[in-house]
Amino acid sequence: MKCRRCKNNEAEVILRRHNAVFCRDCFLPFFENQVKRAISEHGLFEKHDRIAVCVSGGKDSLVLWDVLLRLGYRADGLYINLGIGEYSRQSQEKVDAFAAAKGLKAIIVDLPGEGMDLPSVTAALRKKECSVCGVIKRHFFNAVPRNRGYTVVATGHNLDDEASRLLGNFLQWNTKYIEKQHPLLKETPSGMMRKVKPLVRLTEYETACYALIRGIDYMLYECPYARGATSMVYKDALNSIEEKIPGTKARFLYGLLAGELSGLGRKMEGAGENAGDTNGLACGSCGEPTYTELCGYCRLRAAVTEKREKRSKGALR
Ligand code: SF4
């Protein structure tokens, strides 16, 4: 089968939802055009913006960093070392190697160095890893870029991620979350950074093809705490529908973004609300926007310190 674009090379990438097949060379411009389209349709950022790309060492975030650099944007990687043993060590290795190959250096947040590695924090507080991880990521993916003068925070969420999130929210009738789901969350006067998802028009498969063609060496293993995540159930369900009815995922998500579903999307007026404006309220410890005296991360840190102090006093008795 010949490539639909050049009509010369053998096709290697089959995209049933676009009724198209591409050779390696022609797939890259297709991929880049989808990213450009997401950026311009949703007004994600401009050429003068400074973009902090949240990288995990996985395929989507490294692909995002790569494609933004290729499109001429000022983009730097931001990695959080969660201290999850071998998984974190290998993930950071992938990030460092990717950056070094481009003559760059990623910004690294080292949680073990602060005594806040995820396993020991969750053990001290007896909390679930993913909920603690969410608090940590929300904090550092806002505070670090803000303090370093970045104007946008970009994440590698793709079409599969967003469609499965939407399905999950519909199945639970979480209308508040549905209304806020958008590839652009605007910055707020209180200091919430603008958050964007430039890969929203591309599937997991398309992102993997791009990584393969570009020779991006990424982390193949999932975080050990990801096992049994409900998002995987929703992804599997959507994949089996997509298999029989190509294009379903895209129609499902884009319908929301176009404001076609029960008027829910219309409330967003072209962008989602960020975590809300805190009317100038800021954390008494770190200065990040928050509704309470201390932000979620500083409360977490205080609780861990208290637990450790109690434990060491108990051990001395
Ligand atoms: Fe964090 Fe791992 Fe949970 Fe993802 S699966 S939220 S990386 S702990």
Side-chain angles (χ1 to χ4, degrees):
M1 200 172 0
K2 296 288 180 200
C3 168
R4 187 182 83 170
R5 191 161 173 266
C6 66
K7 299 182 176 45
N8 184 35
N9 300 332
E10 279 304 310
E12 288 186 65
V13 183
I14 300 166
L15 303 182
R16 288 176 63 216
R17 73 187 179 102
H18 289 287
N19 204 15
V21 291
F22 294 110
C23 66
R24 287 173 166 245
D25 292 347
C26 294
F27 175 69
L28 293 182
F30 161 83
F31 191 96
E32 288 171 359
N33 282 336
Q34 293 297 320
V35 176
K36 282 187 204 165
R37 197 169 154 188
I39 294 169
S40 68
E41 268 181 11
H42 302 299
L44 302 187
F45 42 76
E46 306 282 343
K47 273 274 150 66
H48 59 76
D49 275 306
R50 281 188 68 207
I51 306 165
V53 183
C54 304
V55 286
S56 64
K59 129 181 107 7
D60 301 312
S61 55
L62 290 184
V63 161
L64 175 60
W65 193 5
D66 187 80
V67 74
L68 291 182
L69 291 173
R70 273 170 65 89
L71 292 175
Y73 289 100
R74 297 195 296 164
D76 293 312
L78 167 59
Y79 174 81
I80 300 177
N81 174 8
L82 294 163
I84 310 176
E86 191 56 15
Y87 168 75
S88 291
R89 195 192 61 73
Q90 286 190 29
S91 304
Q92 189 172 335
E93 232 172 59
K94 301 288 181 198
V95 171
D96 287 340
F98 177 91
K102 298 192 176 318
L104 300 171
K105 212 167 178 304
I107 304 163
I108 308 286
V109 175
D110 184 39
L111 288 181
E114 296 194 14
M116 286 293 285
D117 60 284
L118 191 65
S120 75
V121 169
T122 51
L125 302 180
R126 296 210 174 101
K127 288 196 172 205
K128 288 242 187 289
E129 286 79 8
C130 294
S131 70
V132 172
C133 185
V135 173
I136 291 172
K137 284 180 177 170
R138 264 195 302 282
H139 175 77
F140 287 105
F141 285 152
N142 198 75
V144 175
R146 193 160 80 106
N147 293 334
R148 288 176 175 244
Y150 288 87
T151 50
V152 188
V153 175
T155 56
H157 294 95
N158 58 38
L159 175 56
D160 292 55
D161 298 323
E162 293 303 292
S164 70
R165 179 179 158 199
L166 181 58
L167 177 63
N169 281 331
F170 261 115
L171 293 177
Q172 311 289 332
W173 282 115
N174 284 330
T175 50
K176 280 208 160 52
Y177 291 134
I178 297 170
E179 284 167 15
K180 285 179 181 167
Q181 187 170 349
H182 198 277
L184 166 65
L185 298 182
K186 290 178 182 166
E187 53 271 78
T188 69
S190 299
M192 293 301 293
M193 294 282 299
R194 191 187 332 160
K195 311 239 167 57
V196 299
K197 298 171 182 170
L199 298 185
V200 71
R201 299 188 59 83
L202 291 148
T203 63
E204 201 101 39
Y205 166 72
E206 290 155 9
T207 313
C209 289
Y210 179 96
L212 186 77
I213 294 168
R214 291 278 303 139
I216 296 173
D217 181 22
Y218 60 86
M219 185 72 179
L220 290 171
Y221 309 106
E222 289 272 8
C223 168
Y225 302 122
R227 276 180 222 122
T230 47
S231 59
M232 295 312 293
V233 179
Y234 300 137
K235 276 189 183 176
D236 288 347
L238 281 170
N239 281 340
S240 68
I241 300 172
E242 182 82 18
E243 181 65 28
K244 295 185 178 69
I245 313 167
T248 299
K249 282 184 233 176
R251 282 191 295 275
F252 181 43
L253 182 68
Y254 301 165
L256 174 83
L257 300 181
E260 287 168 7
L261 294 176
S262 316
L264 281 172
R266 262 181 232 121
K267 291 185 186 169
M268 299 189 296
E269 293 173 355
E273 283 173 29
N274 214 318
D277 189 10
T278 61
N279 289 324
L281 291 177
C283 172
S285 174
C286 70
E288 276 293 285
T290 179
Y291 291 103
T292 47
E293 201 180 320
L294 290 179
C295 72
Y297 179 72
C298 290
R299 283 202 306 272
L300 195 71
R301 206 176 46 191
V304 172
T305 307
E306 194 186 322
K307 287 271 176 196
R308 285 176 181 157
E309 281 174 0
K310 271 189 189 159
R311 201 162 298 160
S312 67
K313 274 181 195 157
L316 288 175
R317 272 190 210 123

